[in-house]
Amino acid sequence: MKMILLGPPAAGKGTQSAYLSEHYNIPAISTGSIIRRNISEGTELGKKAKSYIEAGKLVPDELIIDLVINRLAAEDCKDGFILDGFPRTLPQAEALDKNGINIDKVVEFNVPDEEIIERISGRRSCDSCGAIYHVISNPSKKGNLCEKCGGKLVQRADDTAKTVRSRLEVYHKETKPVSGYYKEKGNLVTVDGGRRSVEETSVAMWKALGVER
């Protein structure tokens, strides 16, 4: 099974990819993990990616594509894989086709923008131990302090509503067209992830995939 998970940031792709990975016994792969792995191993591709990151620039499509294609050639991907965070653009989707990588299923998680903003802007992390809380769904019983270590809870700079709106604009402009690309191919299934718990979203996902659990 070769799969792609699409959806806006904080739609739950990472959590659901872990369930899919366990069910199909195939690796869940994110572009972030691919980049970090190549940088830590000091590969040529990793060195190139690091140079862009350290310069504060986005890693270009061509390099991201090379990193992903190289990762998918690994032995643990021979029976399939789950891609989370790739493809983000149409050229990236087309690159998979050009490299002979045929995708079986593409799962798109749909969550309204306002809920995404609420999910992300409400996150708070401990500046000491890194524990994550949410002002609405998972508040700390100690108010602005961490329950685990007593550290101060802070909002990350990239979690503000303004920043999240900018990220969503980029998503709708660059990544949303990718779902149309796969819809035309006939391998896209959609999952309504709005106002649902993790468990409820999982149930909807398995149903969309036609898998009995």
Side-chain angles (χ1 to χ4, degrees), residues 81-93:
F81 51 78
I82 301 155
L83 283 173
D84 172 8
F86 184 97
R88 291 185 186 274
T89 63
L90 283 176
Q92 290 179 2

Side-chain angles (χ1 to χ4, degrees), residues 29 66 136 153 167:
I29 302 167
D66 286 344
I136 296 175
L153 299 184
R167 290 168 65 188

Side-chain angles (χ1 to χ4, degrees), residues 37-112:
R37 178 177 174 179
N38 275 267
I39 290 176
S40 66
E41 293 179 356
T43 67
E44 286 304 311
L45 291 173
K47 291 175 183 177
K48 290 180 181 179
K50 187 178 181 180
S51 67
Y52 283 99
I53 294 170
E54 290 182 341
K57 299 178 181 179
L58 292 174
V59 180
D61 258 7
E62 296 78 10
L63 183 51
I64 290 289
I65 290 167
D66 286 344
L67 284 163
V68 172
I69 298 302
N70 183 64
R71 175 66 182 88
L72 297 185
E75 179 66 19
D76 65 339
C77 292
K78 64 181 177 63
D79 293 324
F81 51 78
I82 301 155
L83 283 173
D84 172 8
F86 184 97
R88 291 185 186 274
T89 63
L90 283 176
Q92 290 179 2
E94 292 165 350
L96 290 174
D97 290 341
K98 291 176 182 177
N99 282 273
I101 299 172
N102 299 312
I103 303 300
D104 298 306
K105 287 290 182 181
V106 179
V107 184
E108 180 182 31
F109 296 91
N110 291 321
V111 181

Side-chain angles (χ1 to χ4, degrees), residues 113-128:
D113 284 2
E114 290 307 312
E115 185 175 347
I116 293 295
I117 293 168
E118 179 184 294
R119 288 184 185 184
I120 299 179
S121 62
R123 286 195 303 213
R124 298 292 184 271
S125 59
C126 175
D127 63 0
S128 179

